[in-house]
Amino acid sequence: MTGWIDAHHHLWDLNAVQYPWLMARGVERFFGDPTPIQRDYLLREFQSEAVPCGVRASVHIQVGAENALDEARWIQSIADANPSWPIAQVVFCDLTTSGLPAQLDNFQTLPTVRGVRQIVGRAPGEDAQTGTNTLLDDPGFLRGLREAEKRNLSFDLQLIPQLMEKTARVLKLVPDIRIALCHAGSPHDRSPSGLKEWAQNLRALSNLPNVSCKLSGLGMFDHHWTLDSIRPIIDECLEQFGPEKVMFGSNFPVDKLYGSYATLAQAYRDLVPTEAHSAVFSETAARFYDL
């Protein structure tokens, strides 16, 4: 694979698939006001932003559709219509549901499907309302991870630092499933003490050989980010995981709220050491998502 791989982005067509959160006007989210992105965001627009920065393939991550299979089939149709653009996808699935095997059977009829995501944590305030953190206490969640493991499906893990140690204890029981930590583990507290706590908790996950890390979504908790403000996060992830387990993701169009693709790509290009570029911007994602 030549060129960059964006290992974490979203697309949506509001006429093709229903997304409740994109239809809900005036509702503040943990990452800010979604109003500017409550519109179609299609492959052509994504490519117009990413391709000039060297991106040549990508990984689509589920984004809260009303019907996950509808979303997955739509993404497959995008892939089928654009054979020159290699794309893999991570779908939503409730791992605790009793009908999980049948659901995964349906997803695995789609050749672009590589893994599943079920969010464990977004941000403390929103998590207190949604109760997603309770997944870790549900024995069905571990059973679901084992089912995905058996099928060679990866799991995209989104959570907050306060849940990392507890999550690591669960993941030790499924040592063969590939885990992609989304958004560097969502370090939502960017104070020196907050970043210290994040780095300490991150060790619980980086010590697991089957966990890789995405440098993505860093603007969601730092709307006026600069090279200096995100440098400690990138440095820490590279130190703990090593470049061979770190991959770049734009989190567009969500992070488009806080900067252009070109600005984001240049920041990563500057902050990731040159000798780690091939791994972080291509090889890790290509291997992890079989692109």
Side-chain angles (χ1 to χ4, degrees), residues 8 10 13 17 39 92 103 120 129 132 142 154 241 244:
H8 196 110
H10 312 289
D13 181 338
V17 181
R39 59 173 182 81
F92 169 78
Q103 288 189 31
V120 174
Q129 296 177 340
T132 55
L142 176 58
S154 65
F241 288 90
E244 70 282 355

Side-chain angles (χ1 to χ4, degrees), residues 232-259:
I233 299 171
I234 291 175
D235 287 350
E236 189 68 33
C237 289
L238 287 170
E239 188 278 323
Q240 288 200 30
F241 288 90
E244 70 282 355
K245 292 205 298 176
V246 172
M247 51 189 130
F248 160 77
S250 69
N251 197 39
F252 262 48
V254 177
D255 270 49
K256 187 175 182 173
L257 293 167
Y258 309 115

Side-chain angles (χ1 to χ4, degrees), residues 181-208:
L181 177 64
C182 300
H183 311 325
S186 300
H188 55 87
D189 181 351
R190 299 296 172 85
S191 68
S193 61
L195 288 176
K196 182 179 180 181
E197 180 188 13
W198 160 77
Q200 290 172 339
N201 292 340
L202 190 66
R203 288 280 175 194
L205 295 175
S206 65
N207 284 337
L208 299 178

Side-chain angles (χ1 to χ4, degrees), residues 61-211:
I61 308 299
Q62 62 81 212
V63 67
E66 188 172 74
N67 184 304
L69 187 57
D70 285 349
E71 180 183 40
R73 286 171 171 160
W74 178 68
I75 292 299
Q76 183 63 52
S77 75
I78 298 299
D80 293 342
N82 296 272
S84 63
W85 186 262
I87 187 169
Q89 66 167 315
V90 173
V91 301
F92 169 78
C93 199
D94 180 358
L95 295 182
T96 69
T97 184
S98 60
L100 180 64
Q103 288 189 31
L104 294 180
D105 284 345
N106 286 332
F107 283 123
Q108 290 193 281
T109 64
L110 307 174
T112 54
V113 171
R114 301 289 191 275
V116 299
R117 178 168 81 153
Q118 185 173 16
I119 292 176
V120 174
R122 294 179 175 87
E126 197 161 304
D127 292 349
Q129 296 177 340
T130 62
T132 55
N133 300 169
T134 59
L135 274 173
L136 296 173
D137 299 315
D138 189 334
F141 183 60
L142 176 58
R143 286 197 301 270
L145 287 172
R146 284 177 169 151
E147 181 67 24
E149 178 185 54
K150 184 174 71 176
R151 293 166 177 262
N152 196 33
L153 290 168
S154 65
F155 182 74
D156 264 53
L157 172 66
Q158 185 170 333
L159 81 176
I160 58 176
Q162 291 76 13
L163 299 172
M164 288 176 176
E165 292 185 352
K166 187 175 184 179
T167 301
R169 290 194 291 271
V170 174
L171 296 182
K172 285 178 181 178
L173 302 175
V174 276
D176 294 326
I177 189 172
R178 301 184 316 282
I179 305 291
L181 177 64
C182 300
H183 311 325
S186 300
H188 55 87
D189 181 351
R190 299 296 172 85
S191 68
S193 61
L195 288 176
K196 182 179 180 181
E197 180 188 13
W198 160 77
Q200 290 172 339
N201 292 340
L202 190 66
R203 288 280 175 194
L205 295 175
S206 65
N207 284 337
L208 299 178
N210 57 326
V211 179

